[in-house]
Each structure stands twice: as C-alpha cells, then as structure tokens.
Amino acid sequence: MPSISTRRLNQKGFTLIELLMALLLFSALLAFSTTYLTGSLNEARFLQTVERMKQVRQALLGDTLRRQGKVRSNFGYNGDIGALPAALGALSTNPSLPAWSVNAAARFALGWSGDYLGPANLGADFANDAWGTGFLYSAASTPPTLTSYGADRAAGGTGLNADLVLQMPATVRRSKVHGIIVANGAPFTGAAQVELNSANGSGGLSSTLVNVVAADKGHFVFTDVPQGVRSATVYVPTKAAATITVGPAVFTVDRPHYLINTKFFDVGTLVGPTNIEVAMEMVDYGISSNLINLFTTFERTRTPLDTNDYDGTSITYSFEIVATNSALLNSAINLVNSAGAAVGSITVPGLTNNPTRFRATFTPTAGSNDYRLQIPITLLLNQITITTGRILVSQVNATKTRIYVPLIGDTYGGFSAADNVAVDSTSSTAFTQGAPIDYSIWRKNLSRLSLATTTASPYTFVASLQGGNLGGTATAALFNRTTGLAVAGSAISKAGNGYALVQTNFSDAAANFADLSDYEVRIQSSSILQTASIARAGLYIRLEKLGRGESYYRVARSYSGTASPYFDAMRAFINPASFSNPMIANETVGFASTAGVNSFQLYDAGNNDAGTAGAVLAGSGLTLPAAKSRQRSGAFTITPGDRTLGRAVGNGAATTNLSSDTVIVQFNY
C-alpha cells in the first residue's frame, strides 16, 4: 500500500493523460489563432490593395471630384497625354514625353505633368499590391485593366484569393464631342469646317478637321476624343479660304457624349466687312423709242431701291444699258426717280447700230424710291432700242445689302415702244404660265445666303401687273415647282388696266418655302373674261453680316430655235475685283428637243462693249436636258475688266428652248 507522502506528491502533479489533453487543446488554440490572424491580415491587405488600385486609377484617369467651380479639373495622365501609358512606371517617371505646357494657339495645356501618383503617395509601392505581388496592367486590352491576383498570388481563386480586376472602359477615357454652329441663335445652314484640338496620345497636339454641309444644319461630331480640356474652331466656309473664323473655344470634355455650348459658335455675330456689287435687272421686255412722246418713261422698268439697304465705307450707284441708236444724233437715256426727276443719264451716240454696253454713275434719292428708264422721242419708230438695263450698287466694306433675282424675261432681241406690252398673259382663273419658256427658275439655298435677321420678312416679291378692262385683277405668286404650292404670303395683285409695280414681303419660314427647292412665278386672272398680264417680276433678298451671298447678272432671256445666236445685246461687265473672295458660276434654265445636243456657254469678250468677238470661258458651258430645269456650272474664272456675253450652241436640228442664263457671283465663298 502506498504511503501517505507518495499520494500527496501525486496529487500535486498532472497525469500523462492530462498533459496530452492540454497539448492537444493548445495546438487547437494555436491553429485557430494563426488562421484568424492570417485572415485578418489578408482582409487588411485586400482593403489596402483596393485603395491602391483606386489611386492608380486616379493617376491614370483623374479625380472626378476635383473641380474648379462646377467644372471637373483633373483628368490624370490620360487627359494630359491623350492616352493611357504603356506601363505604370510612366506615372512617376517621364518616359521622354513633352513636358506639360500651355499651347497658346489651342488655348489649353498638355504634356507630362507627373508625378501623377502625387507627393503624398511616394512611400507606397504602386507597382505592387499589398501582398507584394506586381500588378498586372494592360493598356492594350479591351478595356484596359489593372489586376491583383489576391492573397494566393495566383490567377483565379475565391474569397480573398480571388483576382481583383479594375476595368477602364472607353466611356471613362474617350468621348463623342458634338456641336452646333448657329447664326444669330438660329441653326447655321451654310458650309463650314470645324477643327478640334486635343492631346494626340504622346503629349503633343492633335488637330482634326470635319466638314459641315447645309443639310447638317450646323451639326458636327468628333469621335474618340480623349477626355479633358479641349478646344475647337469654326471656319466658314473652309479653313483654307475662311471669311469667318470663330474660336478656338475652350471646353471640358467630361462625359461619354459631350455637347459644346452653342454660344461658342455663333457665326452670325462675327462677320467682317465685305466688298460686293449688286445687279438689279430692269428690263424684262426690251424698250424702244417712239415718234409721238417727247419722252417715254417706261413703267414696266420700275425698279425699287432703298439706300438704307446698303452700307459700307464707299457705295457707288450705277446704271448700265445695252442699246442701239440708228439716228444721226446722240440721244440721252435717263434714269428717273418716282417723281420723274432724272438722277442719271447715259448718252448713246448716233449711228450706234450694234448693241453696245454703256454705264454711268448716278446719285439716288435718299431712302426708298423707284427708278425707271426714260427714252427721248426719235424721228422714226424704234430708232433707239434698249434690250438690257440694270442698276448696280458697288459696296466696299459692307455689312448689309439687298440682292435681286430676275424671274421672267421676254424673247431675246424683242422690244417695244409701247408701255403696255406683256411678257406673258392669261385668262385662266387658276395659276398658270401662258408661255412657260419666259419664266426662269430660282433655287433657294440658304447655304449661299446670310439672311437679314433684323427684319422678320427678308424676302420681297415684286411684279409689274395689269388686270385688264372692267376691273379685272391680275395676281402673281411664287410657286414651289416640286409641290406645286404657292409660297404663303407671296401673292400680289393689280386690278384694272395699266401696269403698276406691286410687291409683298414674306419670311424665310413661310409655308411651302423649303430650302433647296426650286421656285417660279405663276399668274392668274380673276375672270376668264379678262386678260391678266405680267411685264416684269423678281425677288429681292435682304442680307446682313455678309458671311455669304450672291449677285445675279442675267446675260440671256427667252429664246427658242435651232441656230447658235450670240446674246451680245445682253452682255455684262462683271468684275471679280468688286467682290470679296468671289466664286463665279453659270446658271442656265431651259431644255432642248434632243437631250445632250445643244448647250449654252459664255464668252470672254475682252474690253469689247459691242460685237461678238471673244473666247469661250472654260468651265462655263452647260448642256441642255430634255425637260426644263435649272442647271449650275462649277466655278470658272472671269478676267477682271473683261466683258461677258453668252451664246446658245445648237446643232442646226435640235431646238434650243432657253428661258434664261445668269452669271452668278458668290462672294465670301
């Protein structure tokens, strides 16, 4: 039996089983603590890695919360350089890129401006995640990515071992930039080019040019623009031949689809002074002398002119005629105002048997007035003939003007000493054309016109009408040739016998007055028992801030035949030097009995004011189609100081049916 002392000793110690159990419990606790501590450490490293990846992203793409006022001001490496770097090291060390600086022409800064990770982050290792594993960065992938392999430092895995992938899609890096050019707040309907400046991906400047055509209504778009501060410039009509330059305007592209504020590109407020000559045709049916009246003042040549419509540092008013005088004595052709007072005169020498062009200056009556041609009496009928007459207004440094479009014309070479003859007449109570060949066609094209905005109705339709006996009424209106509908507000009427010039104003927004459509005049009578007559018709258009416009010189009227006549009695002196940035085109209205055979072409007559001598103006010819239509040539050149005349070229068999030919000078083209 054990002693008492031995039992006490045993009672103070641990049995082997107790020791083994204690060791097992300690091992379990140690394993649990290690797992717990490792998990907590990985969680902390996970959060550190996420934060580090966010900071790398900000260095690459900028901080969306950093702003100046309400405008984002930080776009990181991508904004300064124009693309993401090939490697993350470029965020801290310049990889031989241009240093950040302000481009004075583009009006914004670009170039490397690191350290993009910032001084506060210099102690952090941004090349690696918090587990010490290098980030996997790919700028070339779609989209670019920044990846950490997680706690297990290997691809794949779950939980804290899962890969952390930060994507940088195109929507946070690059944008579509839209803009709208306006003219005095309204959509711009002309031609222009827009140049956008941005960073080129290497820290330099990239400039991209897009074209804007009339159908765009001023809208333009650039794609794949790196986000950041950018600028753009509008050139009208082109950068190479700009008459209007707006910009560069600076803006901040900060979203996938960015719209530039329209206030930046209002071209209607920045048009410079322009040189222009406006031609207003006065004679739609030739006039001649008689042997009864001492002077005959022709109502059917009445032409409105308001000096308030024209401005400039210099304005010269002239009138021009192409005339003959078979009498022995010289004769004075007067230009008289509405009161019958002569304001200008041209002397046509006796025995001027060939149609000859003459021009003289005159001083108009201030304000709004009407002007007519006056021919003196001759011993024999028709000893003086005038087949062409036009008023010309030459403006230097102009900001506004009023152009004229002739719309009808009687047979070329025809003239009369009577004042009651008609270019066309009808007894129809429906709008019609009694002689369609006598009617020209005009195309509305707002890309060629800087319409006046200080008046609600910049268009004025004028016509010389008479309604016939017994109170008959003649009405004329402008019609859309495609729809057959009258332009709202364009109808004008005259009751009773005797021609009178009537007119009406209408707006650009008038119903049935669409852009890029063709228009013509039609007439009607109030009764089938009356004959409505028209002796002249045209369209005035007010222009302001002369970004673009046209002047119309008619060099041929109605002709039908198989011959090849010269229209020397309608020659014009068209001087390109009178226009700012001119572009000259020829426009023919007509058709031929056999399409593609007959044509109309212009001749350079040198300094000859009479005769048919001259050389063909290259590029001015137009071949006549089988159906009546309007055609315009491409640009061609007229030598300053030379005269221009036209010729219908036939083959002797097919019939030329010509309504008009007009030389059009576009300015600020």
Side-chain angles (χ1 to χ4, degrees):
M1 174 179 292
S3 65
I4 294 173
S5 59
T6 302
R7 286 198 301 270
R8 287 178 179 172
L9 179 62
N10 290 338
Q11 289 174 351
K12 291 181 179 179
F14 297 94
T15 66
L16 180 60
I17 293 174
E18 289 174 331
L19 288 172
L20 289 173
M21 290 180 64
L23 286 171
L24 288 172
L25 179 61
F26 178 77
S27 297
L29 289 172
L30 181 62
F32 175 79
S33 298
T34 301
T35 301
Y36 176 79
L37 291 173
T38 301
S40 297
L41 183 60
N42 281 335
E43 286 182 358
R45 287 174 175 170
F46 173 86
L47 295 175
Q48 291 173 3
T49 298
V50 169
E51 184 61 28
R52 194 171 295 182
M53 293 175 77
K54 287 182 179 179
Q55 292 178 354
V56 173
R57 181 188 186 279
Q58 284 188 0
L60 290 168
L61 300 175
D63 185 351
T64 59
L65 299 180
R66 285 177 58 182
R67 296 178 177 269
Q68 291 181 346
K70 296 182 179 181
V71 180
R72 180 178 165 186
S73 60
N74 183 267
F75 291 87
Y77 186 101
N78 184 71
D80 288 344
I81 306 302
L84 296 178
L88 293 181
L91 296 175
S92 298
T93 303
N94 187 348
S96 301
L97 295 174
W100 186 92
S101 64
V102 175
N103 186 296
R107 298 184 184 177
F108 66 90
L110 67 166
W112 196 86
S113 64
D115 184 349
Y116 288 93
L117 294 169
N121 300 315
L122 289 178
D125 180 7
F126 285 96
N128 301 313
D129 61 19
W131 291 282
T133 305
F135 284 121
L136 181 64
Y137 168 70
S138 175
S141 62
T142 305
T145 56
L146 181 68
T147 302
S148 165
Y149 282 146
D152 65 354
R153 305 183 182 187
T158 60
L160 295 177
N161 293 326
D163 298 345
L164 284 74
V165 181
L166 177 66
Q167 294 184 337
M168 291 167 278
T171 54
V172 299
R173 297 178 290 111
R174 311 187 80 81
S175 302
K176 277 189 175 182
V177 176
H178 301 257
I180 299 175
I181 307 170
V182 297
N184 297 303
F188 175 68
T189 54
Q193 289 185 322
V194 184
E195 186 173 51
L196 183 133
N197 300 309
S198 64
N200 66 0
S202 300
L205 185 68
S206 172
S207 297
T208 305
L209 203 65
V210 297
N211 295 318
V212 179
V213 299
D216 295 327
K217 303 296 184 183
H219 176 255
F220 59 87
V221 62
F222 293 88
T223 60
D224 201 34
V225 178
Q227 293 180 6
V229 179
R230 307 296 176 231
S231 67
T233 303
V234 171
Y235 303 97
V236 179
T238 64
K239 182 178 180 180
T243 58
I244 304 172
T245 300
V246 182
V250 180
F251 44 88
T252 301
V253 181
D254 59 357
R255 64 205 69 179
H257 289 272
Y258 181 83
L259 177 63
I260 304 171
N261 194 319
T262 56
K263 71 179 182 181
F264 289 140
F265 297 133
D266 193 336
V267 300
T269 62
L270 296 172
V271 180
T274 295
N275 298 341
I276 178 179
E277 181 179 80
V278 175
M280 289 169 269
E281 301 294 336
M282 300 182 71
V283 179
D284 288 342
Y285 191 125
I287 59 177
S288 61
S289 62
N290 64 50
L291 44 78
I292 299 174
N293 301 316
L294 186 61
F295 292 98
T296 302
T297 303
F298 286 87
E299 174 62 33
R300 54 190 173 90
T301 66
R302 186 181 292 270
T303 301
L305 186 150
D306 189 339
T307 57
N308 296 313
D309 289 329
Y310 307 93
D311 70 356
T313 56
S314 173
I315 308 174
T316 303
Y317 296 90
S318 307
F319 77 108
E320 180 174 271
I321 60 174
V322 179
T324 64
N325 180 10
S326 62
L328 295 175
L329 300 178
N330 299 345
S331 292
I333 309 301
N334 293 327
L335 184 70
V336 302
N337 62 16
S338 57
V343 295
S345 183
I346 290 174
T347 297
V348 181
L351 300 180
T352 301
N353 295 317
N354 292 322
T356 304
R357 188 196 69 90
F358 302 91
R359 182 184 288 198
T361 60
F362 72 96
T363 301
T365 304
S368 179
N369 215 292
D370 297 333
Y371 299 88
R372 294 164 292 167
L373 291 174
Q374 184 184 76
I375 297 180
I377 192 172
T378 53
L379 293 176
L380 301 175
L381 184 66
N382 301 329
Q383 282 190 295
I384 298 173
T385 68
I386 298 176
T387 46
T388 296
R390 56 179 70 98
I391 288 176
L392 302 120
V393 183
S394 181
Q395 301 168 255
V396 177
N397 294 326
T399 65
K400 63 179 181 178
T401 194
R402 192 185 192 201
I403 62 174
Y404 180 75
V405 184
L407 293 175
I408 67 171
D410 195 64
T411 304
Y412 168 72
F415 52 82
S416 175
D419 200 20
N420 63 347
V421 295
V423 171
D424 192 29
S425 59
T426 185
S427 295
S428 172
T429 56
F431 278 104
T432 188
Q433 294 175 343
I437 195 173
D438 293 334
Y439 292 82
S440 188
I441 299 170
W442 172 73
R443 167 158 286 198
K444 177 184 177 182
N445 188 336
L446 292 177
S447 70
R448 298 171 179 157
L449 303 172
S450 297
L451 285 183
T453 57
T454 57
T455 175
S457 302
Y459 299 92
T460 303
F461 176 51
V462 300
S464 187
L465 301 170
Q466 65 175 0
N469 296 322
L470 304 175
T473 299
T475 302
L478 204 60
F479 274 75
N480 184 309
R481 292 194 83 229
T482 302
T483 65
L485 299 174
V487 175
S490 70
I492 47 181
S493 299
K494 164 64 172 62
N497 269 338
Y499 280 111
L501 188 76
V502 286
Q503 56 188 293
T504 186
N505 302 322
F506 59 94
S507 77
D508 184 60
N512 308 318
F513 195 47
D515 192 25
L516 301 179
S517 293
D518 288 342
Y519 297 89
E520 65 185 6
V521 177
R522 298 179 189 177
I523 60 173
Q524 72 170 179
S525 175
S526 60
S527 169
I528 60 173
L529 302 177
Q530 300 294 323
T531 300
S533 301
I534 185 169
R536 135 162 242 260
L539 182 67
Y540 284 93
I541 308 172
R542 284 186 173 87
L543 307 180
E544 292 175 349
K545 298 175 181 176
L546 304 176
R548 189 71 72 89
E550 298 182 327
S551 189
Y552 299 77
Y553 298 80
R554 186 175 59 194
V555 295
R557 289 198 307 266
S558 172
Y559 167 77
S560 182
T562 58
S564 299
Y566 288 91
F567 290 73
D568 55 311
M570 294 192 68
R571 76 181 63 227
F573 174 37
I574 304 167
N575 190 356
S578 298
F579 296 85
S580 295
N581 303 312
M583 193 284 284
I584 303 172
N586 186 34
E587 189 164 279
T588 295
V589 177
F591 66 101
S593 59
T594 302
V597 174
N598 296 357
S599 64
F600 192 93
Q601 58 191 24
L602 299 176
Y603 282 73
D604 182 339
N607 60 1
N608 298 313
D609 285 317
T612 58
V616 173
L617 281 169
S620 69
L622 291 165
T623 301
L624 299 176
K628 181 180 177 180
S629 65
R630 178 202 57 83
Q631 298 182 88
R632 183 178 288 207
S633 74
F636 60 90
T637 301
I638 290 178
T639 302
D642 285 2
R643 283 57 163 168
T644 302
L645 61 90
R647 185 187 186 191
V649 181
N651 68 348
T655 300
T656 296
N657 297 286
L658 182 73
S659 294
S660 67
D661 189 89
T662 306
V663 179
I664 299 175
V665 183
Q666 295 177 238
F667 55 87
N668 286 340
Y669 183 76

